[in-house]
Amino acid sequence: MEPADAVVGFLIGIILVVGPFVVGSCYVYIIIRYAVPSLLWPKTTANIASCSVQSVHEGSLTYATYVSYRYQVDSVVYEGTRIRFLCQPHCTLKSAESERRSVLFRNPLYVSYNPKDPSVCVIYPGLHGWMVFWVLFSVIMHMLGWFVLFATV
């Protein structure tokens, strides 16, 4: 193996080791800190202030559902916007509209809130498909990075 090839392989290995580790760590932190505990959080009713579907970026074909709601805990009114932890944009307008309708037609709308900090709330508590996918993807890429790194040494 040429020295230049070894350096390139080494750099690719480092990127594949560090990048997924950082991304995966962020996802795992959010899952451990919020998503899993939110399954046990108390619920309260909320009133929807607004709910819409918008393009993520101007000219983008990726859409997101945006919601704003108000809820009350111990006589204090809070505002929330979180549908689920680590929301992923929708690939189609139809999918985003479907999520918007599912939020609007929840009657009453219940939100789960953190009893230690009631300003943290979510409509759909717990883990969701994309979270699991990104953690698994990060682990696989991290392992691939170590493989590439050791193959170049």
Side-chain angles (χ1 to χ4, degrees):
M1 180 180 286
E2 294 290 321
D5 292 339
V7 170
V8 169
F10 180 78
L11 291 175
I12 290 172
I14 290 292
I15 291 168
L16 287 175
V17 167
V18 174
F21 178 76
V22 170
V23 171
S25 296
C26 292
Y27 274 91
V28 168
Y29 172 78
I30 291 171
I31 287 169
I32 291 171
R33 179 90 164 98
Y34 297 108
V36 173
S38 70
L39 290 167
L40 302 175
W41 290 352
K43 294 181 185 288
T44 188
T45 57
N47 296 315
I48 296 175
S50 66
C51 189
S52 64
V53 170
Q54 298 171 13
S55 177
V56 175
H57 302 289
E58 190 172 325
S60 172
L61 296 178
T62 305
Y63 299 90
T65 304
Y66 297 94
V67 64
S68 175
Y69 48 86
R70 290 183 188 87
Y71 60 100
Q72 188 173 332
V73 176
D74 296 330
S75 301
V76 177
V77 176
Y78 296 93
E79 291 188 22
T81 59
R82 189 175 291 112
I83 296 174
R84 63 180 56 84
F85 291 105
L86 297 173
C87 280
Q88 293 292 321
H90 297 274
C91 295
T92 65
L93 180 60
K94 182 178 179 180
S95 173
E97 283 291 343
S98 175
E99 182 174 63
R100 183 184 72 82
R101 283 191 301 278
S102 75
V103 169
L104 285 174
F105 293 131
R106 293 173 71 96
N107 190 10
L109 175 67
Y110 287 103
V111 295
S112 298
Y113 64 91
N114 184 341
K116 295 177 184 173
D117 180 5
S119 67
V120 177
C121 65
V122 65
I123 294 174
Y124 299 114
L127 295 172
H128 301 282
W130 279 108
M131 285 182 188
V132 176
F133 168 79
W134 283 114
V135 169
L136 290 176
F137 178 77
S138 294
V139 167
I140 291 168
M141 293 305 292
H142 186 73
M143 291 179 353
L144 178 65
W146 281 112
F147 175 77
V148 170
L149 194 59
F150 284 116
T152 61
V153 176

